[in-house]
Amino acid sequence: MQINFNPISPKNIYFSAARRTRHDKIQPAAHSDCFVKSNTNETFTLKKFLEKKDKFTISEYKSIDKGELMFLRNDLSKEYKDYDDYIYAAGSTMELAFDLKSALDETYGENGYIFASIGRSPSLIAKVFECMGVETKYLPISNLGEKSIDIDALFEEQSIENYKKILERQGLTKETLKNSNKKVLFYDYTSTGTTLAIFEYFMQKAYNLPCSKTEFRSLNEDLEACASSPENAKTYIETFLEDRWSSKFTSIDHLPHNKIAERTMDDKNLTTHRFREPKLFNFIIMDELNKMGLLKENPANKNSL
């Protein structure tokens, strides 16, 4: 089967800069450190943090008492000479994520959408959304834009069934979406739009996700459209999306499209939470949002990767 995909440019969102909510002007809900006291006597040390093999959750962050958190921040900054890289990555990502979230809240309603990251490029922005309480999904898949891609191979029964496990775990099924009042916004970094077009075809052809409940959008186009600082948006897109610096900090592993039938679809093969890079990035995102009073846990994200 041969399918000709025309390069696409997802529908532009027209944002009103005068009307959109500016998250950097939101007053924190409490003082700079919003903690829930730990119910255990176990000290949360740097060693314990780095030895974690699974996802560092918002609940775990909030269980760290104020003193332990101060020590953890201090130990991390002393332990790693490149810690400023993480600070820069987190700060740059948060700035653009705030702008995008304000625009999407205005367009779809604050609780009217689900943010779904296609592959690793949008996953840093997605982490900020997740930690602000937006329902967020992560869909590892890579290299869909290759010229030699075999569309038929994607539709082999084993491929479809394996990848379906990821969708089901995160509640992205035909039945779930039909009963939802939210629209799923699938985001990817685009250059020609081919990858996004193939992914859209894959989701609708293989899994019958309802068109009325889904949109497939270009992350870079929307960041440029809504950014309060166009220059910062350009720098972020060039650094984290075009040059793929996002791959250093992402929690989502690389999953080539031609491997989805061969790999076990469990978290340890889909995520990189066991490595220090995503641990540090995720910690800083939570820590900074917490200081601003914007850290929020959404039960709908319990099964997100």
Side-chain angles (χ1 to χ4, degrees):
M1 178 179 64
Q2 289 188 339
I3 300 173
N4 295 320
F5 290 98
N6 295 319
I8 64 171
S9 177
K11 300 183 293 294
N12 288 326
I13 300 178
Y14 293 95
F15 304 119
S16 169
R19 292 178 55 201
R20 74 182 178 203
T21 303
R22 293 293 299 138
H23 288 279
D24 55 358
K25 295 183 179 179
I26 293 177
Q27 293 300 315
H31 59 80
S32 62
D33 285 316
C34 311
F35 298 99
V36 175
K37 189 75 173 178
S38 173
N39 292 323
T40 69
N41 294 320
E42 190 175 2
T43 301
F44 199 93
T45 62
L46 173 64
K47 184 173 183 291
K48 179 182 176 183
F49 175 68
L50 294 177
E51 285 180 347
K52 270 187 63 67
K53 301 298 183 184
D54 54 358
K55 184 176 181 178
F56 179 63
T57 66
I58 294 173
S59 292
E60 287 177 302
Y61 173 88
K62 289 186 173 183
S63 73
I64 307 172
D65 68 34
K66 187 172 182 177
E68 290 174 358
L69 191 54
M70 290 176 64
F71 279 118
L72 181 57
R73 290 181 190 134
N74 188 54
D75 288 345
L76 288 171
S77 62
K78 287 182 176 179
E79 183 76 14
Y80 299 108
K81 293 180 180 179
D82 61 346
Y83 195 65
D84 285 347
D85 287 350
Y86 297 91
I87 297 293
Y88 169 71
S92 301
T93 301
M94 287 172 63
E95 178 186 354
L96 273 297
F98 288 166
D99 288 340
L100 181 58
K101 185 178 184 302
S102 293
L104 296 180
D105 286 353
E106 182 177 347
T107 304
Y108 300 97
E110 187 172 355
N111 296 306
Y113 61 93
I114 297 169
F115 191 98
S117 170
I118 303 172
R120 300 187 294 178
S121 294
S123 66
L124 304 190
I125 296 285
K127 179 56 65 174
V128 181
F129 274 60
E130 178 189 349
C131 291
M132 293 182 73
V134 176
E135 187 171 354
T136 307
K137 313 299 180 186
Y138 301 92
L139 301 172
I141 195 163
S142 307
N143 307 119
L144 285 174
E146 290 181 349
K147 292 182 179 179
S148 60
I149 185 172
D150 185 347
I151 298 294
D152 285 328
L154 278 180
F155 288 91
E156 291 176 356
E157 184 175 353
Q158 187 179 359
S159 296
I160 291 174
E161 289 304 311
N162 274 353
Y163 204 78
K164 187 178 181 181
K165 297 174 185 177
I166 302 176
L167 299 177
E168 289 177 339
R169 186 182 317 164
Q170 299 190 66
L172 295 177
T173 64
K174 175 183 177 182
E175 294 72 26
T176 304
L177 296 187
K178 276 189 173 181
N179 295 322
S180 173
N181 58 0
K182 297 182 180 181
K183 179 162 284 191
V184 184
L185 308 179
F186 292 94
Y187 268 101
D188 191 21
Y189 165 69
T190 62
S191 52
T192 65
T194 302
T195 295
L196 197 59
I198 293 174
F199 188 82
E200 179 177 359
Y201 185 82
F202 188 40
M203 290 298 102
Q204 293 176 347
K205 183 74 172 180
Y207 307 111
N208 298 312
L209 298 190
C211 296
S212 62
K213 296 294 182 72
T214 59
E215 283 190 21
F216 297 81
R217 306 196 59 84
S218 166
L219 180 64
N220 40 304
E221 288 186 6
D222 282 1
L223 289 179
E224 288 181 305
C226 72
S228 54
S229 170
E231 187 60 34
N232 288 353
K234 180 181 177 182
T235 300
Y236 186 86
I237 291 166
E238 291 175 349
T239 304
F240 290 90
L241 303 182
E242 292 178 4
D243 290 344
R244 305 293 181 180
W245 208 37
S246 58
S247 62
K248 175 178 180 179
F249 307 102
T250 182
S251 301
I252 301 304
D253 208 351
H254 178 73
L255 179 63
H257 67 84
N258 59 350
K259 299 292 184 181
I260 62 176
E262 301 173 15
R263 298 180 62 173
T264 303
M265 295 291 119
D266 56 22
D267 287 0
K268 69 179 181 180
N269 285 332
L270 298 174
T271 64
T272 59
H273 293 296
R274 60 195 179 278
F275 299 125
R276 74 173 174 95
E277 289 82 1
K279 286 187 209 289
L280 296 183
F281 179 84
N282 295 347
F283 170 78
I284 293 170
I285 292 295
M286 293 180 194
D287 201 35
E288 293 304 312
L289 289 177
N290 183 68
K291 293 175 185 177
M292 300 171 69
L294 298 176
L295 183 63
K296 181 180 179 182
E297 190 165 29
N298 186 340
N301 292 331
K302 180 180 179 181
N303 293 321
S304 291
L305 296 176

